[in-house]
Amino acid sequence: MRLACAISALALLIGALSSCDNLSDSRVRAAYITTGGGNARSGRDTIRKYGCYACHTIDGVPGARGLVGPPLDGIGNREFIAGELPNTPENIMRWIQHPRQVEPHTLMPEMGVTEHDSRDIVAYLYTLQKTP
């Protein structure tokens, strides 16, 4: 009886924790389609690989509490990025790969982000969209 209760409690805890994760299957699929093949699950790790978390606050990324750049939660809902580009997956990828080509005086550094990695990063960021 105690074992059954413990298993039930563990199952509830796992369910509660997974519901806090923005990487639900439906969000991952939607981000994959929106970005033309980006892998949101890899994107979360890729954000850490390039150190984006040092400057930005990003939900779901451990240690991402930076205050230099804007918070990236809900970026998919914004009209513009970098103050001048229409918000499309392609433009966010361009911004992530070559921020100084878009805005020469930005503080965001060129990090050598590949096209593949930028697609995965954008896919993860798009899982953070707020639903109206």
Side-chain angles (χ1 to χ4, degrees):
M1 181 69 166
R2 287 186 187 178
L3 181 59
C5 288
I7 291 171
S8 294
L10 183 59
L12 285 173
L13 178 61
I14 290 170
L17 289 175
S18 65
S19 69
C20 295
D21 186 356
N22 356 319
L23 295 181
S24 68
D25 287 341
S26 62
R27 285 185 182 254
V28 168
R29 275 192 303 277
Y32 179 86
I33 292 166
T34 301
T35 61
N39 182 329
R41 289 187 173 92
S42 292
R44 180 172 50 191
D45 295 332
T46 304
I47 285 169
R48 292 202 44 83
K49 171 183 162 184
Y50 286 102
C52 308
Y53 63 90
C55 294
H56 297 281
T57 299
I58 312 163
D59 273 352
V61 176
R65 297 288 168 243
L67 300 175
V68 175
L72 298 180
D73 306 331
I75 193 166
N77 299 98
R78 298 177 192 169
E79 293 293 319
F80 293 93
I81 55 167
E84 59 190 89
L85 291 177
N87 187 349
T88 66
E90 294 78 18
N91 280 341
I92 297 176
M93 287 173 53
R94 179 176 162 216
W95 172 252
I96 290 170
Q97 290 175 57
H98 304 291
R100 296 209 170 132
Q101 286 180 9
V102 174
E103 178 53 56
H105 301 291
T106 185
L107 291 177
M108 186 162 157
E110 296 273 341
M111 299 294 293
V113 180
T114 67
E115 181 177 342
H116 179 268
D117 286 349
S118 69
R119 188 175 308 280
D120 289 349
I121 290 169
V122 173
Y124 179 74
L125 295 176
Y126 270 48
T127 67
L128 304 177
Q129 284 183 268
K130 296 178 183 356
T131 51

